[in-house]
Amino acid sequence: MSSPPPPPPPPAASAPPPAAVPVASIADRAKALRHVSSDEQRIAVTSFSDGVSEAEQRAYVERVLAVNAESWVAPLSAVTFKSDFVVVSADEARAIQALCDRGTGADATLLDELPPALVELGARLQAVMDALGAAQSGGSGGVFVKASSRSAKDAPITQQRLKQLYVDALRRYEREIGDACTATAPLSAAVINARMTALLTAATLMLKVRSASDVLLKHFAASERIATDMRLALEQTPFAQHLIVRQWVDIAVDAEFRGFVFQNRLRALSQYNHTLHSPRVVKRKAAILADIVAFFERHVAPPLKTLYKDDAYIIDFALTGSRWPLHYALGDDAYADDDGTNGDDLRIYAIELNPFEFSTDGCLFSWQHDRAVLEGRASGGGGGGGG
């Protein structure tokens, strides 16, 4: 009788990111942020390289669409954010596409009022947003809204409010780091890291919305991600698209992690916002890995088994609790006495799924150099992560 196969290697945890990203101005940092955000789950249907057959293109699109929210929200309902769905008709999707065509590009302009074709959708969306927002703890009214595939998180950088949120977040670090708001070159690594952390925090807070009109006219209309996804949805038969209204939970920008699942096993884990340095992530690396692996094996792997080709997908996790507040100290000294755990009140959320494809951002891992790690065929990483 043959002996059982050895257990698979544990997920490869990505190495800590560089201490800072040398970006000098808010405009440059916003541009960099847009690049990082829009890489995720990019659906480049019209930009396949020469030699890729139409059948291969169709198979790729099918794998991308397979992880739309409709496929995983219900199976993961106990461990993801409360979510309600608003049906979008094909005519409404075309109207959203028209908004995007007007609101993106070099000559972008945004409307002040919903066009007639979107008035009814706006009313349906507002009703769901109000109900879910009122049901949340404290009744803050703020929610997160996305389409079936992706959110409009590339749009906030075009809005003036981002600057004020950025300055407000940055001022929280003045006592620890000095006047990071007005420092001039040469900038210290600590100031650069504080600015990147503040920018990512501001961009995240921009996604908390209360008005359906703002969702459609300010976020969706200015989003190339939404434009691409609506165009792709309209090419499918039968047409199926929703707006997903989700409970808002404050998540610190260093508390989100990207997991790579292949054959229903979590093979690798990376810090999601890899353009910043977080001393508490470094201090708690072992506990983060252990807690997320246990969460995945108990709450994610069983309900999602066999739903996707090769049992492969990419999943984002968020850590919340008293030890993971939205705003946190950035200096290593602040964590000198940290015990390296995530706290007794730790709560982990499954944020969303993305396709296990090169077009999904690998974060600190490289699809070119670390593919064997991401598929569990090697235990270390090269290029951007591993070890």
Side-chain angles (χ1 to χ4, degrees), residues 84-102:
D84 289 327
F85 288 68
V86 178
V87 176
V88 178
S89 71
D91 286 343
E92 290 166 340
R94 292 186 189 95
I96 293 173
Q97 181 67 58
L99 284 182
C100 294
D101 291 342
R102 179 189 182 105

Side-chain angles (χ1 to χ4, degrees), residues 63-77:
R63 292 194 299 272
V64 168
L65 296 177
V67 293
N68 277 1
E70 292 84 350
S71 75
W72 55 263
V73 166
L76 297 183
S77 60

Side-chain angles (χ1 to χ4, degrees), residues 84 91 93 112 136 202 307 333 372 379:
D84 289 327
D91 286 343
D112 294 325
Q136 292 179 183
L307 286 185
D333 292 345
S379 58

Side-chain angles (χ1 to χ4, degrees), residues 255-330:
E256 188 172 343
F257 300 87
R258 171 151 289 182
F260 299 81
V261 179
F262 194 78
Q263 295 177 341
N264 208 39
R265 295 185 182 275
L266 183 59
R267 303 295 187 174
L269 189 70
S270 171
Q271 184 175 330
Y272 181 80
N273 286 313
H274 50 90
T275 56
L276 58 84
H277 169 69
S278 169
R280 64 180 179 178
V281 169
V282 175
K283 188 80 172 185
R284 302 170 191 170
K285 178 179 176 180
I288 291 168
L289 179 61
D291 287 340
I292 289 180
V293 168
F295 173 85
F296 170 81
E297 292 178 347
R298 180 175 181 180
H299 298 293
V300 176
L304 295 188
K305 184 175 175 60
T306 74
L307 286 185
Y308 306 110
K309 178 178 171 57
D310 295 325
D311 276 326
Y313 50 88
I314 291 174
I315 180 170
D316 296 333
F317 304 96
L319 306 186
T320 64
S322 60
R323 304 208 68 193
W324 291 96
L326 178 66
H327 302 287
Y328 58 97
L330 298 181

Side-chain angles (χ1 to χ4, degrees), residues 98-144:
L99 284 182
C100 294
D101 291 342
R102 179 189 182 105
T104 57
D107 299 321
T109 57
L110 301 178
L111 298 177
D112 294 325
E113 295 182 357
L114 288 174
L118 291 177
V119 170
E120 290 188 8
L121 175 61
R124 299 197 308 273
L125 176 60
Q126 189 67 60
V128 174
M129 291 173 64
D130 289 344
L132 185 55
Q136 292 179 183
S137 176
S140 66
V143 295
F144 173 71

Side-chain angles (χ1 to χ4, degrees), residues 149-166:
S149 180
R150 298 186 290 183
S151 72
K153 69 179 183 180
D154 56 328
I157 63 168
T158 69
Q159 301 180 34
Q160 182 63 26
R161 183 167 170 256
L162 176 69
K163 182 176 181 179
Q164 187 57 53
L165 286 170
Y166 166 75

Side-chain angles (χ1 to χ4, degrees), residues 174-253:
E174 287 182 355
R175 179 177 299 181
E176 181 182 9
I177 295 174
D179 194 355
C181 295
T182 58
T184 57
L187 299 176
S188 69
V191 168
I192 295 172
N193 191 52
R195 291 185 175 185
M196 181 57 74
T197 302
L199 179 64
L200 288 164
T201 300
T204 299
L205 293 174
M206 283 291 297
L207 298 174
K208 186 176 185 179
V209 291
R210 294 175 174 83
S211 162
S213 292
D214 284 351
V215 170
L216 295 170
L217 296 177
K218 295 181 180 180
H219 292 258
F220 279 29
S223 171
E224 294 178 359
R225 289 156 55 95
I226 295 297
T228 299
D229 293 351
M230 288 296 164
R231 186 180 304 115
L232 182 63
L234 287 165
E235 293 173 354
Q236 311 307 310
T237 303
F239 171 82
Q241 185 68 203
H242 294 86
L243 302 185
I244 296 89
V245 182
R246 312 201 74 194
Q247 169 195 12
W248 181 269
V249 174
D250 283 333
I251 300 170
V253 293

